[in-house]
């Protein structure tokens, strides 16, 4: 990988880094074995996310996670922005939700197969992919809430608020000094006894 891309990835916010790490874990989990055991003829088999009855689900999950990763990596590599900034968090959340639903559907299919064939078992790859998808979904939802909060603050932002200095009102000439205070009044005489 290009050193510039790695430096730019390390400069991202922590939530963004964790989201992309979850995507990478999910992508790697698709390549790990999802199902293994002995089939009807006594043959020992092992299927990853790209094999068996769940191959279409595994391919769809892989492509969705790759899309989420490319939303971040392509602009950092100097390419075009795939999704506009205002829609980016919503698209990530929707894609992560879809990938999580698909991985749960694949897990239910594999669980049904293991109930029908006693020598088959669900392997760790689908669980790795599920954990990566859940982390991605969690941080995508956090980033979406943060974006909505900042949009609301921008909507109600008032530049005349106290404590904020606007650059339009500043000038290069310093303001004149304040006038001196008025002289103190003469003390009054008060009698103690009449």
């Amino acid at each position: 990988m290009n050193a510039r891309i790695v430096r730019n990835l390390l400069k991202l916010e922590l939530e963004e880094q964790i989201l992309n790490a979850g995507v990478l874990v999910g992508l790697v989990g698709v390549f790990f074995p999802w199902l293994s055991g002995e089939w009807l003829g006594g043959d020992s088999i092992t299927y990853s996310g790209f094999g068996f009855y769940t191959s279409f689900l595994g391919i769809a999950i892989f492509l969705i996670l790759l899309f989420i990763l490319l939303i971040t990596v392509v602009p950092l590599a100097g390419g075009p922005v795939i999704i506009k900034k205002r829609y980016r968090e919503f698209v990530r959340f929707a894609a992560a939700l879809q990938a999580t639903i698909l991985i749960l559907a694949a897990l239910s299919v594999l669980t049904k197969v293991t109930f029908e064939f006693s020598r088959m078992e669900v392997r760790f790859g689908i669980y790795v992919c599920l954990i990566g998808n859940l982390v991605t979904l969690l941080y995508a939802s956090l980033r979406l809430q943060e974006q909505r909060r900042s949009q609301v603050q921008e909507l109600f932002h008032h530049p005349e608020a106290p404590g904020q200095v606007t650059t339009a009102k500043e000038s290069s000439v310093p303001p004149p000094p304040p006038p001196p205070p008025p002289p103190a009044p003469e003390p009054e005489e008060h009698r103690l006894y009449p």
Side-chain angles (χ1 to χ4, degrees):
M1 209 185 261
N2 193 354
R4 186 184 73 162
I5 297 173
V6 174
R7 270 187 275 123
N8 289 339
L9 283 173
L10 294 176
K11 289 180 184 177
L12 291 175
E13 296 176 9
L14 181 63
E15 292 172 348
E16 183 92 13
Q17 290 177 358
I18 294 173
L19 184 140
N20 290 317
V23 170
L24 288 175
V25 168
L27 284 171
V28 170
V30 176
F31 291 100
F32 287 157
W34 283 16
L35 184 73
S36 68
E38 286 186 24
W39 196 241
L40 297 174
D43 297 331
S44 180
I45 58 167
T46 301
Y47 290 109
S48 68
F50 298 117
F52 202 58
Y53 295 126
T54 59
S55 64
F56 289 117
L57 293 174
I59 292 169
I61 292 165
F62 180 80
L63 292 176
I64 290 170
L65 291 175
L66 185 64
F67 173 69
I68 295 172
L69 186 64
L70 289 177
I71 289 174
T72 304
V73 173
V74 169
L76 291 178
V81 176
I82 297 175
I83 303 291
K84 292 182 181 179
K85 188 174 182 179
R86 63 180 152 173
Y87 301 120
R88 184 179 304 148
E89 303 307 328
F90 179 74
V91 169
R92 278 184 183 161
F93 175 74
L97 182 63
Q98 182 65 38
T100 304
I101 290 170
L102 289 177
I103 194 74
L104 290 173
L107 183 61
S108 68
V109 168
L110 295 178
T111 304
K112 185 177 185 310
V113 168
T114 59
F115 286 150
E116 290 179 6
F117 303 102
S118 62
R119 294 185 179 187
M120 301 290 284
E121 60 185 18
V122 177
R123 299 296 291 188
F124 67 94
I126 195 163
Y127 298 119
V128 169
C129 192
L130 179 63
I131 290 169
N133 282 331
L134 289 175
V135 168
T136 303
L137 181 64
L138 173 68
Y139 279 93
S141 66
L142 287 175
R143 299 229 1 123
L144 180 64
Q145 289 175 356
E146 183 178 313
Q147 180 188 18
R148 286 185 179 172
R149 185 179 311 120
S150 67
Q151 286 175 347
V152 169
Q153 287 176 350
E154 287 176 6
L155 179 66
F156 293 107
H157 175 72
H158 299 288
E160 295 85 27
Q164 295 181 350
V165 178
T166 58
T167 57
K169 293 182 180 179
E170 292 180 6
S171 65
S172 60
V173 179
E186 301 250 345
E188 295 180 8
E189 285 186 28
H190 295 285
R191 290 190 213 178
L192 293 176
Y193 301 104

